[in-house]
Amino acid sequence: MKKIISVVGARPNFIKIAPIHRSFQKYKSDINHLICHTGQHFDEKMSKVFFDELQMPKPDFYLGLGGGSHALQTSRIMVEFEKILLDEKPDLVIVPGDVNSTIAASLVSSKLHIPVAHVEAGLRSFDKKMPEEVNRVLTDHISDYLFVTEKSGITNLKKEGVSDAKVYFTGNVMIDSLVNFMPFIDKSMFIEKIGVNKKNYVLATFHRPSNVDDEKNLTQLINALNNISKVREVVFPIHPRTMNNLKKYGLFDKLNDNIIVLEPIGYIDFLSLSKNAELVVTDSGGIQEETTYLGVQCITVRDNTERPITSEIGTNHMIGTDFNKVVDASISILSGEVKSGSIPDLWDGNASVRITKIIHDKLFSQ
Ligand code: UDP
């Protein structure tokens, strides 16, 4: 019997590990797949609802290490996760994405000579000011299995000298969750509940430090949403980080009446909102991918994307962070200037089946 521990910390991690956990059930006589939740996101709306809706078991280990600076959070996770590794001696550690839990867990595992698998490897924004970029580059270079979601990931890893033998193009586990839960998403009555009409509203989400931590940028962002709301109702589920800053800078009260302000939403209802939106305006990584799969127009308010396939062949519009341009682009998309898109290779709902098979075969061929 082999033992594997997957480490999750933040909202997008739960969505990425859920299908992997499900796929490991096929191998349950050979592999014991355990989940460690670091507690980076810890409350009901950012964590518990995802475990419930994604039908994940209660985590086997819960570290409860939310909050603090990057250094504090990363180091505390390292100290506590090391104890788990020494007790449990797993055969492999799986880390998804690019959050502090990802680099903390992979660094500790690598130092203890426990192999690491990075799910969503190779993505690069080439912007070292993003904490996520630092986390993903470092994690890739200490991982033993690199599971890549899009072809740019293969090219990036090759350029950085990562051996081809470690790299597997397996597709996108975030899309696995989307495909798996589509019947539930289609049954959601959330848009009726909040009183918006199909394909007649804009969905907005923001949480990147570069957009929401700086008062000037956040003010411009709110002005942009207010301007967009003059032509369409805007639905705005607000990330806790963004909400704190809106309150801190006295901007919360500046949001127009035509903006429906919500707390973060559960997975199923959020995807229903996304699928039915006429336009999504965001700085999220995962939402660029989900809208591409769903064929929904998406404006990404960032100067770069680590997911270039979403704008090369998908429905993602990379507009940059000039907020006037964001308003202009929104208005032209809402008046019909839409981009047709296609779905990237291997975004088919089976990435986790491929990943777990590779891991199973590798662990048992040694
Ligand atoms: N999401 C959600 N509820 C929300 C906002 C986002 O369920 O209110 C989901 C979204 O569908 C996607 C994931 O959270 O699957 C993206 O997470 P986030 O934007 O926090 O992180 P990123 O992908 O930017 O790292």
Side-chain angles (χ1 to χ4, degrees):
M1 185 71 139
K2 303 281 185 188
K3 189 188 284 180
I4 297 178
I5 303 181
S6 284
V7 181
V8 294
R11 176 167 71 185
N13 293 167
F14 312 140
I15 298 161
K16 289 165 199 168
I17 287 299
I20 290 185
H21 183 73
R22 209 174 29 255
S23 299
F24 270 131
Q25 298 317 299
K26 187 173 153 199
Y27 302 108
K28 69 170 182 258
S29 53
D30 290 342
I31 291 177
N32 185 14
H33 179 243
L34 302 172
I35 296 175
C36 174
H37 185 341
T38 64
Q40 214 185 313
H41 281 166
F42 49 86
D43 65 9
E44 168 77 30
K45 298 213 154 53
M46 295 299 284
S47 171
K48 186 168 180 306
V49 64
F50 292 92
F51 275 79
D52 295 346
E53 290 191 1
L54 295 162
Q55 300 165 8
M56 298 235 275
K58 216 169 145 265
D60 300 277
F61 311 98
Y62 184 73
L63 307 185
L65 299 173
S69 67
H70 282 267
L72 191 66
Q73 191 170 66
T74 310
S75 57
R76 286 165 78 204
I77 295 170
M78 286 178 68
V79 171
E80 293 308 314
F81 189 57
E82 183 177 51
K83 294 179 193 161
I84 293 176
L85 291 182
L86 292 172
D87 282 350
E88 296 290 330
K89 301 185 178 51
D91 299 283
L92 179 77
V93 167
I94 300 180
V95 290
D98 53 25
V99 297
N100 289 340
S101 305
T102 314
I103 179 62
S106 53
L107 195 47
V108 180
S109 310
S110 160
K111 291 273 176 82
L112 292 175
H113 307 159
I114 297 168
V116 178
H118 186 203
V119 171
E120 206 184 75
L123 296 182
R124 296 290 180 266
S125 67
F126 303 102
D127 176 3
K128 284 264 170 62
K129 291 208 175 100
M130 288 179 77
E132 298 90 340
E133 180 74 356
V134 177
N135 293 341
R136 30 175 116 86
V137 172
L138 297 178
T139 301
D140 280 342
H141 284 264
I142 50 176
S143 291
D144 303 275
Y145 302 93
L146 296 102
F147 296 114
V148 174
T149 53
E150 61 166 85
K151 290 199 174 126
S152 70
I154 304 176
T155 315
N156 295 332
L157 292 170
K158 209 185 261 299
K159 277 194 193 142
E160 291 172 20
V162 175
S163 155
D164 286 351
K166 296 183 185 173
V167 178
Y168 302 88
F169 177 42
T170 41
N172 192 328
V173 288
M174 201 149 211
I175 302 305
D176 290 5
S177 274
L178 183 49
V179 170
N180 188 62
F181 289 100
M182 195 59 92
F184 295 88
I185 293 164
D186 285 337
K187 272 191 236 132
S188 164
M189 300 291 282
F190 196 72
I191 65 166
E192 288 83 352
K193 186 171 149 197
I194 62 167
V196 289
N197 294 321
K198 246 181 197 184
K199 297 291 166 194
N200 198 27
Y201 61 89
V202 175
L203 172 63
T205 81
F206 289 93
H207 69 284
R208 294 258 104 76
S210 53
N211 280 328
V212 307
D213 283 3
D214 176 78
E215 183 175 359
K216 188 168 146 263
N217 289 351
L218 190 57
T219 306
Q220 289 182 353
L221 173 63
I222 296 309
N223 289 340
L225 293 183
N226 282 340
N227 283 330
I228 296 170
S229 79
K230 289 177 191 157
V231 286
R232 280 302 180 282
E233 248 175 321
V234 174
V235 182
F236 186 23
I238 306 185
H239 190 282
R241 177 184 199 103
T242 311
M243 182 57 102
N244 285 341
N245 289 332
L246 286 173
K247 290 192 173 147
K248 179 164 123 193
Y249 301 135
L251 291 167
F252 184 71
D253 296 335
K254 302 245 154 56
L255 288 163
N256 270 357
D257 289 347
N258 212 22
I259 299 182
I260 301 176
V261 170
L262 302 168
E263 294 193 302
I265 306 168
Y267 181 70
I268 304 287
D269 287 339
F270 184 82
L271 260 310
S272 159
L273 260 184
S274 194
K275 186 176 180 190
N276 290 304
E278 191 174 0
L279 168 66
V280 175
V281 185
T282 191
D283 60 11
S284 161
I287 295 169
Q288 295 173 50
E289 298 180 334
E290 290 165 340
T291 47
T292 278
Y293 183 83
L294 294 167
V296 171
Q297 302 299 305
C298 174
I299 288 182
T300 299
V301 185
R302 283 176 45 187
D303 293 320
N304 48 56
T305 179
E306 60 289 325
R307 294 156 160 94
I309 195 89
T310 59
S311 81
E312 281 159 20
I313 69 161
T315 45
N316 188 15
H317 305 247
M318 291 301 303
I319 298 296
T321 47
D322 173 340
F323 292 95
N324 292 325
K325 286 199 186 136
V326 171
V327 177
D328 291 347
S330 300
I331 291 169
S332 55
I333 291 170
L334 293 171
S335 52
E337 275 180 50
V338 298
K339 185 173 169 184
S340 60
S342 55
I343 297 177
D345 282 352
L346 300 188
W347 291 22
D348 58 359
N350 292 316
S352 56
V353 172
R354 290 186 276 268
I355 289 172
T356 51
K357 180 169 186 335
I358 292 167
I359 290 175
H360 175 270
D361 293 355
K362 284 280 172 189
L363 288 184
F364 286 91
S365 69
Q366 284 160 5

